Amino acid sequence: MTEVIYSRKVQYYETDKMGIVHHSNYIRWFEEARGLFFEKNDLDYAKWESFGIVVPVIEVSVKYRNHLTYGDGFYCKVIPADFKYVKFSFDYEIYNSDTNKLCTIGSTSHCFLDKSLKLLRINHEFPETFEKMKKLFKEGNNSEPPGIR
Amino acid sequence: MTEVIYSRKVQYYETDKMGIVHHSNYIRWFEEARGLFFEKNDLDYAKWESFGIVVPVIEVSVKYRNHLTYGDGFYCKVIPADFKYVKFSFDYEIYNSDTNKLCTIGSTSHCFLDKSLKLLRINHEFPETFEKMKKLFKEGNNSEPPGIR
Amino acid sequence: MTEVIYSRKVQYYETDKMGIVHHSNYIRWFEEARGLFFEKNDLDYAKWESFGIVVPVIEVSVKYRNHLTYGDGFYCKVIPADFKYVKFSFDYEIYNSDTNKLCTIGSTSHCFLDKSLKLLRINHEFPETFEKMKKLFKEGNNSEPPGIR
Amino acid sequence: MTEVIYSRKVQYYETDKMGIVHHSNYIRWFEEARGLFFEKNDLDYAKWESFGIVVPVIEVSVKYRNHLTYGDGFYCKVIPADFKYVKFSFDYEIYNSDTNKLCTIGSTSHCFLDKSLKLLRINHEFPETFEKMKKLFKEGNNSEPPGIR
């Protein structure tokens, strides 16, 4: 398990008329942070796409605890949570950089698709990437799930 | 319970380089659909804000089943799910208008805040709105939850 | 020249902490309105893309005169302005639906590109589309510009 | 004149199905870069807003020359262009960080408004800020324009 921390400042266009960051942006920040996770581990999206792999989000959940607004800095912890043959997930925690207050927690689930958006079993097609991913995530249930044989 | 159906077409700027709608936009579509729900029930955000009430999202979850892309139409069912004294939630189902295929399901939870972003107990401050909301949602547990006395 | 009018309501996520619509969204609204123009004239983006044509924006300008905010309706006039062999442009006017106040004026210029994002001369490749476009726009200078022979 | 350079990477959600950055995002990048300009010169938005000043965009124009996509880095030069009593403007140049190719040029014009979105003459209300701004921008026509007496 390799935790990665992504940080930046809130942008003005990310706020709404409530005066705080619009809730949809946290999902985009998860994506930014996830991009850094892949990049730091030499597994970035751009490379994957050049192999013809896309990695859509198939599930997302977020709990909003404290708001952020323009002028605030934040950091986002990306925690690899689970990795199966065709599916993997991350947990996220977003903190206010000045106060270290926890603002948002969330998680995303992903699968691997080929260019025609069909499910890709990376253990068959890209065994090296598969092994790398497996090491990065908690080593969960390694037995192939029956549903996808 | 009053179900509302919101529909429109996918916009080009809502797609990403995967060629499909970016997952963050579904959360925005929930908001659009919720706005229609409030409007149809004469409870729209704009009015609330003139009373000094804001209604933030405190939780969101989405499951992505089938993608949508530019040129597709979609409709979103908004289903009032639960209503408590300080918290309420909606369920959502987004369908492709042409195929009636279920694309996305989700839910959001909300609370009421005053202008200074402090928790507002609308049963005390706006009893009429409270009664209206209660009728619109499934009449759940009406006993005041102990934690907020 | 065929003017098209596109209308809808402002969404909450389109506002910023100034309490009004973020200026970047008007550019997205121009795109929405342009989409309707192409659709009404049986020339929509989705079809073009199926032919392998993309139509990027190569220039945009906007003047903001009066703001819009959440709860407002607006309508956008799309006025085909100029059409040359490889380039065409639209003018836009956005009005508040309730007050008919002019809020924003703008223009966009476009060209035709093939899938590999190389310049496409539609008069050669898609003469029928070219003729249709020419009729829709003000019949300007029909002599082929010297620079692109 | 103080030129500021802002840089970061393109995010996935900033691309569209053309496979490149959606044109509306460059306007948001101008805002990000402008924020850095104000911050570096100790004049940031957040502070202004605490004084009750907002600084809307009243005009924007962009020319798109070369595209950027996911995985690219970019840098944006912010060039203070003109400063009058109630209006000021910036020029921008966005470059690909890897190739130093010029991708986009643009400009924005701004005014100062008070909290109720009425025009603010900062030379009267905030003379210190006014003098600071004047120094930062090219010292243009210092005579008060007749139209606003």
Side-chain angles (χ1 to χ4, degrees):
Chain A
M1 202 193 89
T2 315
E3 206 178 276
V4 167
I5 291 179
Y6 172 79
S7 69
R8 70 163 169 90
K9 292 195 133 194
V10 171
Q11 295 303 334
Y12 200 89
Y13 62 78
E14 294 176 321
T15 61
D16 65 24
K17 79 187 282 288
M18 217 175 282
I20 59 176
V21 171
H22 190 268
H23 63 283
S24 62
N25 290 309
Y26 294 88
I27 281 121
R28 298 185 169 193
W29 297 355
F30 292 167
E31 182 179 275
E32 297 182 28
R34 203 161 59 235
L36 185 68
F37 176 88
F38 289 131
E39 195 190 317
K40 286 238 169 174
N41 289 295
D42 206 25
L43 275 164
D44 66 292
Y45 277 14
K47 268 190 208 164
W48 283 7
E49 292 202 346
S50 73
F51 294 150
I53 309 178
V54 288
V55 186
V57 174
I58 53 176
E59 244 174 277
V60 68
S61 68
V62 195
K63 290 186 191 195
Y64 304 92
R65 295 203 179 161
N66 288 290
H67 64 261
L68 287 163
T69 189
Y70 183 66
D72 290 338
F74 68 87
Y75 59 94
C76 178
K77 285 189 196 171
V78 190
I79 307 142
D82 198 22
F83 182 71
K84 294 281 169 53
Y85 283 80
V86 291
K87 196 176 160 179
F88 61 99
S89 63
F90 290 102
D91 292 333
Y92 308 85
E93 294 169 2
I94 291 176
Y95 295 85
N96 185 313
S97 299
D98 301 316
T99 63
N100 288 313
K101 219 183 210 179
L102 179 61
C103 295
T104 313
I105 55 172
S107 65
T108 58
S109 296
H110 306 264
C111 64
F112 303 98
L113 299 183
D114 62 25
K115 277 273 171 188
S116 57
L117 304 180
K118 298 256 184 278
L119 195 67
L120 182 93
R121 299 184 61 189
I122 62 153
N123 55 330
H124 290 177
E125 306 285 340
F126 298 92
E128 227 171 286
T129 305
F130 176 75
E131 290 306 321
K132 207 170 184 179
M133 290 287 288
K134 216 165 65 173
K135 263 180 221 143
L136 285 169
F137 281 74
K138 277 186 231 141
E139 310 249 341
N141 177 17
N142 286 338
S143 61
E144 195 154 348
I148 60 157
R149 262 180 232 269
Chain B
M1 200 194 90
T2 315
E3 208 178 276
V4 166
I5 291 180
Y6 172 78
S7 68
R8 69 164 172 88
K9 293 194 131 194
V10 171
Q11 296 302 334
Y12 201 89
Y13 62 77
E14 295 176 322
T15 61
D16 66 23
K17 81 189 279 289
M18 219 177 278
I20 60 176
V21 171
H22 190 269
H23 63 283
S24 62
N25 290 309
Y26 293 88
I27 280 120
R28 298 184 169 192
W29 298 354
F30 292 167
E31 183 179 276
E32 297 183 26
R34 204 161 60 237
L36 185 68
F37 176 87
F38 289 133
E39 195 190 319
K40 287 238 170 176
N41 290 294
D42 205 25
L43 277 165
D44 65 291
Y45 277 16
K47 271 189 207 168
W48 283 6
E49 293 202 344
S50 72
F51 295 151
I53 310 177
V54 290
V55 186
V57 174
I58 53 176
E59 244 176 277
V60 67
S61 68
V62 195
K63 289 186 190 195
Y64 304 92
R65 294 204 179 159
N66 287 291
H67 64 261
L68 287 163
T69 190
Y70 182 64
D72 289 338
F74 69 85
Y75 59 94
C76 178
K77 285 189 197 171
V78 191
I79 305 143
D82 198 21
F83 181 70
K84 293 284 171 49
Y85 283 79
V86 291
K87 196 177 161 180
F88 61 98
S89 63
F90 289 102
D91 291 334
Y92 307 85
E93 294 170 1
I94 291 177
Y95 294 85
N96 184 314
S97 300
D98 301 317
T99 62
N100 289 313
K101 219 182 209 180
L102 179 61
C103 295
T104 313
I105 55 173
S107 65
T108 58
S109 297
H110 307 264
C111 64
F112 302 98
L113 299 182
D114 63 24
K115 277 273 169 185
S116 57
L117 303 180
K118 298 258 184 279
L119 194 66
L120 181 92
R121 299 182 61 188
I122 62 152
N123 55 330
H124 290 178
E125 307 284 341
F126 298 91
E128 229 172 285
T129 304
F130 176 74
E131 290 305 321
K132 206 170 184 179
M133 290 287 288
K134 216 165 67 174
K135 265 181 219 140
L136 285 169
F137 282 74
K138 276 186 231 139
E139 310 251 340
N141 176 18
N142 286 338
S143 62
E144 195 154 346
I148 61 158
R149 264 179 232 269
Chain C
M1 199 193 91
T2 315
E3 208 178 275
V4 166
I5 291 179
Y6 172 78
S7 68
R8 70 164 171 89
K9 292 194 134 198
V10 171
Q11 295 303 333
Y12 201 88
Y13 61 77
E14 293 176 322
T15 61
D16 65 24
K17 80 187 283 288
M18 219 176 279
I20 59 176
V21 171
H22 190 268
H23 64 282
S24 62
N25 290 309
Y26 293 88
I27 280 119
R28 298 185 169 192
W29 297 355
F30 292 166
E31 183 180 277
E32 297 183 27
R34 204 161 60 236
L36 185 69
F37 176 88
F38 289 133
E39 196 189 318
K40 286 236 169 177
N41 291 294
D42 205 26
L43 276 164
D44 67 290
Y45 275 17
K47 270 189 207 168
W48 283 8
E49 292 202 346
S50 72
F51 294 150
I53 310 178
V54 289
V55 185
V57 174
I58 52 175
E59 244 174 277
V60 68
S61 67
V62 195
K63 288 185 192 195
Y64 304 92
R65 294 204 180 161
N66 288 290
H67 65 261
L68 287 162
T69 190
Y70 182 64
D72 290 337
F74 68 86
Y75 58 95
C76 179
K77 285 189 197 172
V78 191
I79 306 143
D82 198 22
F83 182 70
K84 294 281 170 53
Y85 282 81
V86 291
K87 195 176 163 179
F88 60 99
S89 62
F90 289 103
D91 291 333
Y92 308 86
E93 294 169 1
I94 291 178
Y95 294 85
N96 184 313
S97 298
D98 300 316
T99 63
N100 288 313
K101 219 182 209 180
L102 179 62
C103 295
T104 314
I105 56 173
S107 65
T108 57
S109 297
H110 306 264
C111 64
F112 303 98
L113 300 182
D114 62 25
K115 278 272 172 189
S116 59
L117 304 180
K118 298 258 184 278
L119 195 67
L120 182 91
R121 299 182 62 190
I122 61 153
N123 55 328
H124 290 178
E125 305 285 340
F126 297 92
E128 228 172 286
T129 304
F130 176 74
E131 291 305 322
K132 206 169 183 179
M133 290 286 287
K134 215 166 66 174
K135 265 181 220 142
L136 285 169
F137 282 73
K138 276 185 231 142
E139 310 252 339
N141 176 17
N142 287 337
S143 61
E144 195 152 348
I148 60 157
R149 266 177 228 272
Chain D
M1 201 193 88
T2 315
E3 207 178 275
V4 166
I5 291 179
Y6 172 77
S7 67
R8 69 164 173 88
K9 292 195 134 196
V10 171
Q11 295 302 334
Y12 200 89
Y13 61 78
E14 294 176 322
T15 60
D16 64 24
K17 78 188 284 286
M18 219 177 278
I20 60 175
V21 171
H22 189 269
H23 64 283
S24 61
N25 290 309
Y26 292 88
I27 281 122
R28 299 185 168 191
W29 298 355
F30 292 166
E31 183 180 275
E32 297 184 28
R34 204 161 60 236
L36 185 68
F37 176 88
F38 290 132
E39 196 190 319
K40 287 237 170 177
N41 289 296
D42 205 25
L43 276 164
D44 66 292
Y45 276 16
K47 270 189 207 166
W48 283 7
E49 292 202 344
S50 73
F51 294 151
I53 311 177
V54 289
V55 186
V57 174
I58 52 176
E59 244 175 276
V60 67
S61 67
V62 195
K63 290 185 191 195
Y64 304 93
R65 295 206 178 158
N66 288 289
H67 64 261
L68 288 162
T69 190
Y70 183 66
D72 290 338
F74 68 86
Y75 59 95
C76 178
K77 284 189 197 173
V78 190
I79 306 142
D82 198 22
F83 182 70
K84 294 282 170 52
Y85 283 78
V86 291
K87 196 176 162 179
F88 60 99
S89 63
F90 289 103
D91 292 333
Y92 307 86
E93 294 170 2
I94 292 177
Y95 294 85
N96 185 313
S97 298
D98 302 316
T99 63
N100 288 314
K101 218 184 211 181
L102 179 61
C103 295
T104 313
I105 55 171
S107 65
T108 57
S109 297
H110 306 265
C111 63
F112 303 97
L113 299 183
D114 62 26
K115 276 272 169 184
S116 58
L117 303 180
K118 298 255 183 278
L119 195 66
L120 183 91
R121 299 183 62 188
I122 62 152
N123 55 329
H124 291 177
E125 307 285 341
F126 298 92
E128 229 172 284
T129 305
F130 176 75
E131 290 305 322
K132 207 169 184 180
M133 289 288 286
K134 215 165 70 172
K135 265 181 219 141
L136 286 168
F137 282 74
K138 275 184 233 142
E139 310 251 341
N141 176 19
N142 286 338
S143 61
E144 195 153 346
I148 60 158
R149 262 179 234 270

